[in-house]
Amino acid sequence: MSPLDLRSDTVTRPTAGMRDAIARAEVGDDALGDDPTVRALEARVAELLGKDAALLFPSGIMANLTAMLAHTEPGSEAVAERSAHVVDWEDCGAAHFGGVQLRTVQGDGGLLDPDAVRAAIRPAGPHHPRTRLLCVENTHNAAGGRILPLERLRALRAVAAEHEVAVHLDGARLWNAAAATGVPLTDWGSEADTVMVTLSKGLGCPVGSMLAVPAALEARARRLRRRLGGGMRQSGVLAAAGLYALEHHRERLTEDHARARALADACEGLPGVRVVPPETNIVMLELADAPAVAAALRERGVLTSVFTPTRLRAVTHLDVGDDGVARAARALAEVLGG
Ligand SMILES: *Cc1c(COP(=O)(O)O)cnc(C)c1O
């Protein structure tokens, strides 16, 4: 039996329908502006997020980096949540490539407090760094796919606006937040200056992330993407997968959420584990020894990721059905001796 892979929602393989869309994609040289499928995807994502333009990137990390570079200058600061992806998982890209210092603020379960953000924004004057940017993440990966409620995002945006600080939304899993809450994507999009969304996670594409930007930032973002080596050629083959996924794989995200809840429920009451109640498709299990439990699960054909020494992450996605959840629940019960 092939292993059940719950390490991430990035492990999905393109479906037959998606492969068919890829095979039929009309393409051209996108660096020359000639790829009609890329243009169609960029227009579609801009429309969904209520922005003037969107750019296709090879990865979310490159799209986040482009946004951070676009909003800052060397020797300035960006504020981000303590366990944000841009802080913990992007290898200091903003510092390395942009000379930007990240000032972190501890959130409550990943949720930033507007007053704490206000306090982290530097006072004007020649003696402090200039705060240029606030980065927010929705859903919050390390907090277990936690949704940043729209009201909270609004409050954070208002604080940033008081100080002329731009807001970048790392929405790698914004699709999940929108599917779980029913809040339209444009509502989230209007509360940030730039928005990154990922095609290669819950939506099930092989490659690709998008950065949605206002018209005033489009040329700068395109130039930065090129500088980072993110300009691509016949990338319509990737864009075709993205268009297909936006059409066919967005509504089904609520199925992933229901399966994550089912898995969490199955773990409830097992000895030695505390479950972080999932709001979307990420189940975080607090355990005394996460690596040992992950190894024992692996022996039973269930792959999870060791998020921290005491935290195991299991993510539901397109390639996990009800049978997969049942299999994972059985393996966990065996390993934890419930
Ligand atoms: C995965 C992820 C990214 C980066 O996306 P890649 O495509 O893997 O580079 C950025 N932010 C968050 C919150 C993520 O989960």
Side-chain angles (χ1 to χ4, degrees):
M1 191 158 42
S2 59
L4 173 71
D5 199 342
L6 301 174
R7 288 174 300 167
S8 177
D9 43 10
T10 55
V11 300
T12 54
R13 302 214 165 70
T15 60
M18 183 178 281
R19 284 175 190 269
D20 192 44
I22 291 169
R24 286 187 288 98
E26 223 186 297
V27 298
D29 188 330
D30 183 54
L32 303 178
D34 284 352
D35 192 304
T37 311
V38 171
R39 270 187 285 171
L41 174 65
E42 292 187 337
R44 178 77 181 119
V45 169
E47 181 196 25
L48 282 171
L49 293 167
K51 291 281 175 243
D52 299 317
L55 288 69
L56 174 63
F57 281 80
S59 72
I61 290 177
M62 192 189 278
N64 273 344
L65 176 59
T66 296
M68 290 190 283
L69 296 178
H71 289 297
T72 61
E73 70 272 335
S76 62
E77 265 187 354
V79 175
E81 204 278 323
R82 164 65 199 85
S83 58
H85 199 279
V86 292
V87 174
D88 282 347
W89 300 92
E90 303 192 6
D91 205 20
C92 304
H96 183 98
F97 296 105
V100 173
Q101 176 161 279
L102 294 187
R103 185 161 211 220
T104 60
V105 173
Q106 177 76 55
D108 178 10
L111 296 188
L112 283 169
D113 172 51
D115 291 331
V117 168
R118 187 182 285 108
I121 294 175
R122 306 286 190 170
H127 303 296
H128 300 287
R130 279 202 71 170
T131 308
R132 286 297 201 185
L133 178 63
L134 168 64
C135 294
V136 294
E137 188 173 311
N138 198 11
T139 65
H140 195 297
N141 181 7
R146 187 88 184 267
I147 296 165
L148 174 65
L150 186 64
E151 287 312 310
R152 180 68 69 95
L153 176 57
R154 276 208 182 108
L156 291 166
R157 178 103 200 269
V159 167
E162 283 166 24
H163 302 274
E164 292 177 45
V165 168
V167 176
H168 171 63
L169 170 55
D170 174 349
R173 296 187 180 82
L174 188 63
W175 314 115
N176 296 84
T181 58
V183 174
L185 288 161
T186 45
D187 284 15
W188 308 98
S190 67
E191 299 302 333
D193 295 282
T194 52
V195 185
M196 188 281 273
V197 287
T198 294
L199 303 171
S200 56
K201 289 188 172 161
L203 292 188
C205 293
V207 178
S209 287
M210 310 289 300
L211 180 65
V213 299
L217 277 181
E218 184 182 355
R220 182 161 159 79
R222 289 199 184 274
R223 179 173 280 277
L224 285 164
R225 182 183 66 172
R226 182 176 175 87
R227 186 176 295 161
L228 295 172
M232 295 180 282
R233 302 294 176 176
Q234 285 71 29
S235 33
V237 292
L238 307 180
L243 284 166
Y244 179 89
L246 289 174
E247 181 92 6
H248 296 97
H249 294 170
R250 264 193 308 142
E251 278 178 20
R252 63 156 304 287
L253 289 171
T254 51
E255 296 174 26
D256 295 343
H257 303 168
R259 292 195 177 104
R261 273 195 306 278
L263 182 59
D265 288 348
C267 295
E268 212 62 72
L270 291 179
V273 58
R274 190 184 76 83
V275 186
V276 181
E279 294 183 355
T280 54
N281 68 327
I282 298 177
V283 182
M284 290 287 193
L285 303 176
E286 298 273 1
L287 302 150
D289 187 350
V293 173
L297 289 171
R298 179 179 279 270
E299 276 174 27
R300 288 160 178 80
V302 176
L303 309 182
T304 55
S305 64
V306 176
F307 209 76
T308 75
T310 56
R311 218 169 218 229
L312 210 61
R313 190 182 76 162
V315 186
T316 55
H317 52 73
L318 194 56
D319 294 353
V320 178
D322 293 334
D323 51 337
V325 170
R327 186 175 165 195
R330 269 197 311 277
L332 274 155
E334 259 178 59
V335 168
L336 297 170

